[in-house]
Amino acid sequence: MEAPQISRPFPTAFVLAGGGSLGAVEVGMLSALLEWNETPAFLVGTSAGAINAAYFAGNPTSGGVQELRQLWCSVRRREVMPIQLRSVVTGLFGSRGYLVESRGLRALLERHLRYARLEDAAMPVHIVASNITNGREVILSSGPVVDAVLASTAIPGIFPPVKIGPYMLVDGGVANNAPISVAVALGAKRVIVLPTGYTCAPRQVPRGAVGRAMHSVAKLVAGQLTRDAEHWLGSHIELRIVPSLCPLATSPYDYSAAQSLIVRAYESTRIWLEAGGLEDPLIPGQLYEHAH
C-alpha cells in the first residue's frame, strides 16, 4: 500500500522508550513511520530510547535512520558494558557503587553524534533522566547532548550517575520509561510511542545478575507503559502505540541481534500501518503480560 500524504493540524511527538539492546527495534519502527510520511514535531527519549532520539534528532531523515541502523549493528556489549571480574568486585565491595565505567559508551556517542548541545539538534529533542535522590524525572532540553544521554542510560548500580547542574542523574526509566506525560507537557496533541517491548518468549532464563536484572526491569517498564497508556486514552490527546515484537526471544542484554530486530520491527510496523494502526487507539496486546 502506498503511504498516504499526511497533513497534521497539531504537533506530533515521537516518544522512544528504553529497553537496553532492544532499543534496536525502534530503528525499524522509525524507518517504517518515515516511509509512511509520519514526521514528528519533536522527540522525547529515555534510556536506550534517548540514544535513538538524540541520534535521529541530528539527522531526522531516512538517511539518518540508516546511519542509526549501522550504528546499532556495529555495537557490541563489551564496548558499552565491559563487565569484568575486577569491576564487579570493586562495584560490590568498594565505595564507588557501580559496576562499569561509562567511558566506552561516552566514546561511542562522541564519535557518532553530529552536534554538541541538545539545542543545536536539527529537530527538537528532550531527554528524560531520573534524579537519584528522589527518583523524580528530570527533562533535559539543552546542554551537552552526550552528558544528557549518558545520564538517561545510567542504569543504577551498573553505570555511574551523571552530574548535570544541581542533579545527580540516572536512567530515565526509573522515573518514566515511556514518557507520554512529558510529551504532553511539552505541547504534543498527538503522541506516537515506540516501545521496545520485552523478552516474552525467552529460550532460557537470562544468565548472570545483570542479564536477569535487565530482563526483569524490561517487564516492569512494559507494565508501566500500559498503565500510562490507559490513563491517557480517551483524554484530550491522540495516543498511538506501535506494537512491539512478539514473540521475542532476545534478551535486552544481547547486542548481537540488532540486525534481525530492526528488520522484524520494520516489517511488523509496516503491516500495522497498512492495517490502519494509526487510526486505532487500542493498546497493543503484546505489551500486556502473556506467555508462549
Side-chain angles (χ1 to χ4, degrees):
M1 181 186 297
E2 185 177 347
Q5 297 299 314
I6 299 174
S7 177
R8 301 292 183 189
F10 37 79
T12 295
F14 281 5
V15 171
L16 291 87
S21 63
L22 300 183
V25 306
E26 294 173 344
V27 181
M29 294 173 177
L30 276 173
S31 182
L33 286 166
L34 287 186
E35 284 187 4
W36 203 252
N37 295 322
E38 277 290 349
T39 303
F42 64 90
L43 301 156
V44 179
T46 187
S47 198
I51 298 174
N52 291 331
Y55 194 97
F56 181 65
N59 184 11
T61 66
S62 57
V65 175
Q66 182 59 33
E67 292 174 358
L68 185 57
R69 175 178 185 158
Q70 294 170 356
L71 173 60
W72 273 100
C73 292
S74 67
V75 172
R76 295 295 176 263
R77 187 175 66 197
R78 64 179 179 272
E79 186 175 8
V80 297
M81 200 177 292
I83 295 179
Q84 300 172 337
L85 178 59
R86 181 178 179 182
S87 65
V88 171
V89 171
T90 304
L92 291 177
F93 302 105
S95 60
R96 71 180 190 178
Y98 56 90
L99 298 182
V100 183
E101 295 287 352
S102 55
R103 287 190 294 265
L105 181 56
R106 176 179 287 278
L108 183 74
L109 295 171
E110 289 176 344
R111 191 161 63 244
H112 291 281
L113 286 172
R114 299 184 174 205
Y115 57 101
R117 299 180 64 84
L118 288 165
E119 61 267 35
D120 296 334
M123 174 178 287
V125 58
H126 309 275
I127 303 300
V128 179
S130 303
N131 186 332
I132 196 172
T133 303
N134 56 27
R136 294 175 183 169
E137 68 186 21
V138 175
I139 304 167
L140 303 169
S141 303
S142 61
V145 60
V146 171
D147 287 350
V149 174
L150 284 177
S152 187
T153 56
I155 305 168
I158 305 298
F159 289 115
V162 178
K163 189 176 191 309
I164 297 181
Y167 306 112
M168 291 297 290
L169 301 177
V170 293
D171 197 307
V174 172
N176 201 343
N177 191 64
I180 300 168
S181 59
V182 173
V184 175
L186 289 168
K189 300 298 183 184
R190 182 169 178 266
V191 178
I192 299 177
V193 180
L194 284 65
T196 58
Y198 65 95
T199 309
C200 59
R203 288 183 287 264
Q204 60 184 7
V205 176
R207 297 179 180 178
V210 176
R212 293 180 182 182
M214 293 187 69
H215 174 71
S216 299
V217 169
K219 293 191 71 174
L220 287 172
V221 297
Q224 179 191 21
L225 171 55
T226 57
R227 290 189 294 274
D228 288 351
E230 288 166 353
H231 169 77
W232 288 105
L233 283 177
S235 69
H236 65 287
I237 69 162
E238 181 180 324
L239 176 65
R240 298 294 182 264
I241 302 176
V242 182
S244 52
L245 294 181
C246 181
L248 181 61
T250 305
S251 162
Y253 190 46
D254 179 4
Y255 286 81
S256 67
Q259 174 69 12
S260 62
L261 290 175
I262 293 169
V263 171
R264 285 185 61 198
Y266 168 81
E267 293 173 347
S268 67
T269 303
R270 186 75 192 193
I271 291 170
W272 176 73
L273 290 167
E274 292 176 352
L278 285 175
E279 308 308 318
D280 186 355
L282 295 178
I283 301 171
Q286 295 95 322
L287 291 174
Y288 287 99
E289 180 70 25
H290 64 275
H292 294 275

